[in-house]
Amino acid sequence: QVQLVESGGGLIQPGGSLRLSCAASGLTFSRYAMSWYRQVPGKERELVARMATAGNSTNYADSVKGRFTISRDNAKNTVYLQMNSLKPEDTAVYYCQARWFSTYWGQGTQVTVSS
């Protein structure tokens, strides 16, 4: 059974930093492209960052370029999202996605940026 478990969310002041983690199990992690998405109520889920299997290709939403960094550790079956210079508009539920021939989602972790 495939499981993706996100952690690291919470309440943070504007300008602060958080690191999200997504631990995967039940799949051959190194074969999956890994992504972070986010969603706020009433809006569609949007792609934040994506990393290819070998970690040599990344894509970022324009709104997070230069502030967020996606990385992966294939030995630990974990993908990370380092979020710096956080803004109130980054407030959302953040989801981890694994995609190869199938697509899997985590349950999400809430990030709230507020003073």
Side-chain angles (χ1 to χ4, degrees):
Q1 182 181 0
V2 175
Q3 280 193 312
L4 301 177
V5 180
E6 300 99 335
S7 61
L11 174 63
I12 188 76
Q13 291 189 341
S17 297
L18 281 176
R19 188 176 82 154
L20 305 183
S21 300
C22 172
S25 60
L27 51 74
T28 305
F29 182 77
S30 61
R31 294 182 179 178
Y32 284 76
M34 298 300 298
S35 301
W36 288 96
Y37 284 74
R38 66 187 181 187
Q39 189 170 25
V40 298
K43 292 190 176 182
E44 291 188 358
R45 194 171 294 188
E46 65 169 354
L47 175 67
V48 175
R50 174 174 289 137
M51 175 167 272
T53 55
N56 57 353
S57 176
T58 57
N59 298 96
Y60 294 93
D62 288 343
S63 58
V64 307
K65 282 181 181 176
R67 300 188 298 122
F68 290 12
T69 303
I70 187 171
S71 61
R72 64 190 294 161
D73 186 336
N74 287 346
K76 295 183 178 180
N77 288 2
T78 301
V79 62
Y80 304 97
L81 185 68
Q82 178 67 43
M83 306 186 294
N84 299 328
S85 302
L86 282 160
K87 304 176 181 180
E89 51 263 43
D90 295 318
T91 295
V93 178
Y94 283 72
Y95 297 90
C96 172
Q97 182 206 65
R99 188 175 71 175
W100 188 33
F101 289 104
S102 298
T103 300
Y104 301 99
W105 293 92
Q107 83 288 349
T109 185
Q110 175 71 46
V111 173
T112 302
V113 185
S114 175
S115 54

